[in-house]
Amino acid sequence: MSGTARYNRQILLPEIGEAGQHKLLESKVLVIGSGGLGAAILPYLAAAGVGEIGIVDDDLIEISNLQRQVIYKTDAIGKSKAKQAKAMISDLNPLVKVKSISEKLSGKNAISLFEKYDIIVDATDNIAIKYLINDACLATEKPMVYGSIFRFQGQVSVFNYQNGPTYRCLYPDENSNAANCEDAGVLGVSVGIIGMLQANEILKMILGIGKVLSGKILVYNTLNNEQQKYDFEKSNFEAITREAFEEKYNKCEVEEINFEAALNEIDTEGALFLDVRNTDESPKISIKNQIQIPLMHLEKEIEKLDKNQKIYVFCQSGIRSKIAAELLQKHRFKNIKSIAGGALAMKNVLSKKNSYDSNENELSRQLTN
C-alpha cells in the first residue's frame, strides 16, 4: 500500500496536504521513555508518518506495566521496552525508521542523542531526568515536549520552543519532591490522554499549524473533565551551554546504585547509609548503620563522616543525594554512591522485605509446630 493511501485522511485536511505529509516524513523525534506516556505517544507518531523515531528506555516490561502501557502484550514480560516498542511501530507502519536505545539517559549520552533529532519528548516519571532533558535541550537548542501525571491529573507543555520558556522557568526548584506512578497510583486512561496531548503538540510543531503550548501549561483532570491553561514567563537564568552542561553533569560523575544492591552490603564493615533529607521528611527510614545530616548542613558537619567508609547517600527521590555525593567527592571521599529513587524507592523495598520475612517466620513457626 502506498504512503499516499496510508495517510489519505490527514492529507485531505487543508492544513496538512501533501506538503505537510512531506514535513512529517522528513521529521525526526526522540522519545525518552516508552512507559505509559510513551505507549500513547509512539503509535500516533508512527501512524501519522513521522519519518524517524528514536526510543530511549533501559527498562524491562513488568506485569504491573500492562495496566497502562498498552502497546505491550503479556508474553513480552521481562523483555526490553525499547525493543518491544520498536517492534510495535514496525508492525504498525513499516515506512517509519525506528531506533531503539536500551540504555538510561545520562549526562554522557544526552547531547550526542539529542543532536540527531528535531524534537525531544519527555515521557518519563523521574524528576531528575526531566531536568536533565531540559538542560540537554537547551544545550542543543531543541524543543522539549513535556508530560506528567499525578493520580487523575496530568500536565502538558512545550519548553524551549523558538527560544521560549523552559522547564526550569516553570519549576526552578530542582530539589522538589514528587511521587511517580508506582508510589501515587494512576489510571491507565489518564496516562493515555496526556500522552496523546503530547503527540498532538509534536505533530503541530512539525506541521507548523495551530498554537503550540509554549509559555503555557495545560492541566487536565480526568475525574471531572476539567482543564485549565496557565501562562508562565521566561525567567532570567544563565543560559545552559554545552560547556555548562558538561560541567554540571559530567565533571563529577556520581555512581548510582539500586537499594536492593546496597542492602546486600548493610552488614559490611565500614558501610554507612547517609540520609541527607530534612528531619521532618517522610517516609521515615530506619536501617542499620544510618546517620542523618540534612544537605544544607552537610559541609559544616562533614567531620562526622569517615573518608574510609563506604557511604550510600539517599534523599527523598534521588536528586539531593547526587548533590551530596558530589560535595563529598570534592572533599576527597572516595567510595560514595547515590541510592537511585531515594527514600521512596527504599520504602517499597523494605516493605516487600518485611512482608517476605514475616511470611518466612510464619512458615518456620508452622513447620516447628
Side-chain angles (χ1 to χ4, degrees):
M1 184 178 290
S2 71
T4 301
R6 177 183 289 271
Y7 308 124
N8 178 58
R9 293 299 185 271
Q10 61 195 40
I11 290 175
L12 288 173
L13 293 168
E15 293 86 354
I16 298 179
E18 291 189 4
Q21 194 61 51
H22 183 71
K23 289 180 182 179
L24 290 168
L25 177 64
E26 294 297 310
S27 64
K28 299 179 180 181
V29 178
L30 182 66
V31 180
I32 314 298
S34 54
L37 293 172
I41 296 165
L42 291 168
Y44 281 94
L45 297 186
V50 169
E52 185 173 337
I53 300 174
I55 308 164
V56 180
D57 200 317
D58 68 333
D59 206 1
L60 302 179
I61 299 165
E62 299 179 7
I63 191 168
S64 61
N65 299 150
L66 304 183
Q67 166 258 3
R68 63 199 176 279
Q69 299 173 22
V70 295
I71 60 175
Y72 306 122
K73 299 178 181 179
T74 301
D75 61 7
I77 292 171
K79 297 179 181 178
S80 162
K81 285 185 181 180
K83 291 180 180 178
Q84 289 296 303
K86 176 182 178 178
M88 175 277 299
I89 290 175
S90 298
D91 286 342
L92 175 62
N93 189 351
L95 302 178
V96 176
K97 181 180 178 181
V98 194
K99 183 173 184 181
S100 64
I101 304 144
S102 299
E103 57 188 71
K104 184 176 182 179
L105 187 74
S106 69
K108 291 182 177 180
N109 61 16
I111 297 294
S112 60
L113 284 172
F114 287 18
E115 286 178 329
K116 301 171 185 175
Y117 295 87
D118 307 315
I119 297 172
I120 312 301
V121 187
D122 163 38
T124 73
D125 62 357
N126 183 296
I127 300 298
I129 295 296
K130 291 180 185 294
Y131 281 102
L132 171 63
I133 294 170
N134 173 81
D135 294 351
C137 281
L138 287 171
T140 55
E141 299 182 345
K142 307 288 183 178
M144 168 185 174
V145 181
Y146 160 79
S148 71
I149 286 283
F150 182 75
R151 293 177 179 161
F152 295 98
Q153 182 174 282
Q155 299 180 350
V156 181
S157 188
V158 177
F159 301 119
N160 200 36
Y161 177 68
Q162 297 179 346
N163 200 33
T166 75
Y167 182 69
R168 289 184 181 275
C169 299
L170 186 61
Y171 297 115
D173 183 10
E174 193 167 343
N175 295 325
S176 63
N177 301 315
N180 60 24
C181 294
E182 183 177 346
D183 303 307
V186 68
L187 192 63
V189 293
S190 300
V191 184
I193 290 169
I194 298 303
M196 283 192 283
L197 288 171
Q198 287 181 270
N200 188 48
E201 294 304 303
I202 298 162
L203 296 177
K204 286 193 298 182
M205 280 193 287
I206 295 170
L207 294 166
I209 61 175
K211 293 182 178 180
V212 175
L213 283 171
S214 176
K216 301 178 184 295
I217 185 163
L218 174 66
V219 180
Y220 189 89
N221 188 307
T222 59
L223 271 185
N224 52 28
N225 289 320
E226 288 183 355
Q227 65 178 25
Q228 294 86 30
K229 272 197 297 188
Y230 301 99
D231 295 335
F232 62 97
E233 301 292 331
K234 186 170 183 177
S235 59
N236 295 320
F237 64 90
E238 188 175 348
I240 299 176
T241 62
R242 296 192 183 209
E243 293 74 17
F245 181 90
E246 293 293 336
E247 176 78 14
K248 178 177 176 61
Y249 289 98
N250 292 330
K251 182 180 179 182
C252 192
E253 190 71 20
V254 173
E255 183 179 351
E256 274 196 309
I257 186 171
N258 291 326
F259 182 54
E260 292 93 331
L263 198 56
N264 290 332
E265 300 190 33
I266 196 167
D267 293 318
T268 302
E269 185 177 351
L272 179 73
F273 288 83
L274 173 61
D275 184 352
V276 295
R277 298 178 298 163
N278 297 328
T279 54
D280 60 347
E281 291 187 63
S282 294
K284 300 299 181 185
I285 301 294
S286 180
I287 53 179
K288 187 178 179 181
N289 302 328
Q290 177 182 335
I291 185 174
Q292 184 169 34
I293 305 176
L295 179 59
M296 67 179 72
H297 303 312
L298 183 57
E299 196 152 24
K300 293 179 182 177
E301 301 181 23
I302 205 165
E303 71 280 353
K304 292 182 179 180
L305 304 174
D306 184 349
K307 290 183 179 179
N308 295 319
Q309 287 181 304
K310 184 180 291 185
I311 300 178
Y312 299 99
V313 190
F314 68 92
C315 60
Q316 188 75 347
S317 60
I319 298 174
R320 282 171 290 172
S321 61
K322 287 186 178 180
I323 298 172
E326 289 176 359
L327 175 62
L328 293 175
Q329 286 178 337
K330 289 176 183 177
H331 283 269
R332 302 186 182 279
F333 283 76
K334 301 294 185 184
N335 204 340
I336 309 296
K337 295 181 181 179
S338 172
I339 296 179
L344 296 174
M346 295 167 72
K347 173 191 170 187
N348 290 335
V349 173
L350 290 172
S351 296
K352 291 176 183 176
K353 182 178 183 300
N354 291 336
S355 175
Y356 176 80
D357 289 345
S358 296
N359 291 337
E360 285 288 292
N361 291 337
E362 176 61 21
L363 179 60
S364 177
R365 186 188 65 80
Q366 291 177 6
L367 291 173
T368 301
N369 292 339

